[in-house]
Amino acid sequence: MVPYLFVGKHISDIERRILALPVKMGGMALENPVQTANQEYNNSRFATGPLVSLILAEEDCPKNIMDAEMKSGKLKKKCADATDERHATERADILTGLDMKTQRAMELCSEPGASSWLTARPLQKLGHELNQLEFVDAIRLRYCFHFPDLIGKCGCGAQNSSDHALICKVGGFDMWRHDHLRDTLADILRYAGFKPVNTEQPMLPCDGFNLPISANTKAEARMDIVCRGLWSDMQASFMDVRVFHPNAPSYLKVPISNLYKQHQNQKKLAYMRRVQEVEQGSFTPLVFSTSGGFAAEVGKVLDKAASKICQKHKECYAETVSFIREKTRFSLLRSTLVALRGTKRRVVRVSVEDVDFRDK
């Protein structure tokens, strides 16, 4: 499978070790059975020991069988904890031998929700399916691998790369990515039962209010998502979405946690006071990265939506949170992949009224 995923790329020993790590630790759970077979066999014998003893003794007492099953379950948990500890030690050892770029990629992969697309079931009805090229591109983006088949020059004239493709303004893919995620989040809030949920709602005029110089006081200002009852009963909750690329050249030396705080603060400086004083509502910035991670305040909004969905539809909370994260992750992933491969060129638009159809 590994050679098939990375056709034309030599996978080094340390990269193979990365792929063997669990998904939540930045890997792909593609373990090498040659290295893990003995350990897995010993774990299996250890965990099933109580049940094997009953079978050999031809024990049929329900109480003894139940006790053995409980003991076996505890032993399985012990084996799982030992495996997690082994993986954590392996990950720490791997990180010491990586360059800064790959270390950053591993950190981004390990963020909550960033790897949910890898563990989701690829169901077409949920929009979770990817074709071969999309899947390989997503893996290359995940580990910052080189894209050998990208066009050499971007439509803006700059040298093209995967990082440049995700920050370039030509083609409008950055706005399309933003809008697609905004609509996905609005749909989640509607399903949770918040009413009304509006997108691109114009803000009230702020003439006569003493707002800070950093505030957005434009008359045409709009808010990405507005709903009621998110934080308190009937209060309007205003949310504005931002998606940034953590591997942009200007961000490479900034810790990832600081990037989220930086973008949250920028949104708050622009809208918080205006929302509180003019709209008499609450403001929450929804900051995501192209790698699938999100800021702490996004997590609070998603958890609130999950709680409402559980109450309204009688769903399991853990499964609901997982589904919401998958939904937002696939929304980001698809729009990111489109930006990577999309056509970026300056289009000269000609009005139909200016066309002379008799001129051939």
Side-chain angles (χ1 to χ4, degrees):
M1 177 179 285
V2 173
Y4 178 76
L5 286 176
F6 305 103
V7 176
K9 173 177 172 55
H10 171 71
I11 300 297
S12 65
D13 291 340
I14 197 165
E15 288 171 342
R16 183 62 185 89
R17 290 171 64 190
I18 291 174
L19 298 178
L21 290 173
V23 171
K24 64 181 180 181
M25 293 185 181
M28 290 184 63
L30 298 176
E31 292 189 326
N32 186 343
V34 175
Q35 298 175 354
T36 61
N38 289 337
Q39 183 63 50
E40 294 299 329
Y41 173 72
N42 292 332
N43 287 345
S44 178
R45 290 194 61 182
F46 178 70
T48 58
L51 296 174
V52 171
S53 298
L54 287 182
I55 293 173
L56 294 177
E58 299 183 357
E59 179 65 64
D60 59 357
C61 176
K63 183 179 182 304
N64 292 341
I65 294 176
M66 186 178 298
D67 290 343
E69 288 177 343
M70 291 180 61
K71 187 176 181 181
S72 180
K74 293 179 180 179
L75 294 176
K76 287 180 181 178
K77 177 66 167 56
K78 188 175 181 180
C79 290
D81 292 342
T83 300
D84 287 343
E85 184 177 350
R86 174 169 57 85
H87 284 148
T89 303
E90 173 73 358
R91 184 178 187 274
D93 182 59
I94 290 173
L95 288 175
T96 60
L98 297 177
D99 55 46
M100 294 299 295
K101 183 177 181 180
T102 310
Q103 284 186 13
R104 190 176 179 86
M106 290 285 289
E107 184 179 354
L108 291 168
C109 292
S110 303
E111 290 187 295
S115 299
S116 57
W117 67 276
L118 272 172
T119 56
R121 291 181 295 172
L123 300 178
Q124 188 174 13
K125 65 179 181 180
L126 298 178
H128 292 176
E129 83 286 359
L130 298 173
N131 62 35
Q132 178 184 346
L133 179 60
E134 290 172 336
F135 186 83
V136 173
D137 282 351
I139 296 298
R140 290 184 181 276
L141 279 177
R142 178 177 173 83
Y143 297 112
C144 295
F145 288 161
H146 175 64
F147 285 76
D149 52 348
L150 286 183
I151 58 174
K153 286 283 186 180
C154 177
C156 68
Q159 187 68 29
N160 197 24
S161 67
S162 58
D163 289 330
H164 175 80
L166 298 184
I167 61 175
C168 183
K169 303 295 183 182
V170 176
F173 293 106
D174 57 330
M175 291 304 302
W176 187 77
R177 179 173 58 215
H178 167 277
D179 294 348
H180 194 270
L181 180 60
R182 176 204 63 200
D183 294 342
T184 299
L185 293 169
D187 288 342
I188 291 172
L189 293 173
R190 291 189 187 99
Y191 185 69
F194 295 103
K195 295 181 180 179
V197 178
N198 300 321
T199 57
E200 291 297 311
Q201 177 173 308
M203 301 185 73
L204 295 175
C206 58
D207 299 335
F209 288 86
N210 185 23
L211 297 177
I213 192 171
S214 61
N216 183 348
T217 58
K218 294 180 180 178
E220 65 273 14
R222 295 172 177 268
M223 192 57 58
D224 284 332
I225 305 173
V226 181
C227 71
R228 289 190 178 271
L230 181 64
W231 304 122
S232 60
D233 189 34
M234 295 306 295
Q235 183 190 42
S237 298
F238 292 74
M239 290 161 277
D240 209 56
V241 178
R242 174 172 289 183
V243 182
F244 71 95
H245 183 51
N247 287 329
S250 58
Y251 293 156
L252 287 178
K253 295 183 179 180
V254 183
I256 296 169
S257 59
N258 290 357
L259 287 175
Y260 287 115
K261 293 177 183 177
Q262 173 184 321
H263 287 286
Q264 281 188 149
N265 291 337
Q266 288 176 0
K267 285 291 185 183
K268 288 180 178 180
L269 288 173
Y271 294 108
M272 178 76 84
R273 288 278 298 277
R274 180 169 180 174
V275 169
Q276 290 177 340
E277 298 182 18
V278 181
E279 303 282 354
Q280 297 296 307
S282 65
F283 175 71
T284 305
L286 303 179
V287 179
F288 292 80
S289 70
T290 55
S291 60
F294 48 78
E297 296 199 27
V298 175
K300 295 177 182 178
V301 172
L302 298 184
D303 289 344
K304 188 73 172 180
S307 298
K308 291 279 288 185
I309 291 173
C310 292
Q311 295 173 7
K312 182 179 179 181
H313 301 281
K314 310 299 181 184
E315 300 288 351
C316 170
Y317 179 77
E319 292 179 357
T320 304
V321 170
S322 177
F323 174 77
I324 289 176
R325 288 185 175 182
E326 289 171 2
K327 198 71 176 173
T328 55
R329 183 66 185 99
F330 270 97
S331 174
L332 260 177
L333 181 62
R334 287 189 175 281
S335 56
T336 300
L337 293 175
V338 170
L340 183 68
R341 296 285 182 178
T343 301
K344 296 185 178 182
R345 61 187 180 191
R346 301 189 184 278
V347 179
V348 179
R349 301 188 183 278
V350 180
S351 173
V352 175
E353 298 176 355
D354 298 332
V355 177
D356 186 353
F357 290 95
R358 293 170 297 178
D359 184 15
K360 296 183 180 179

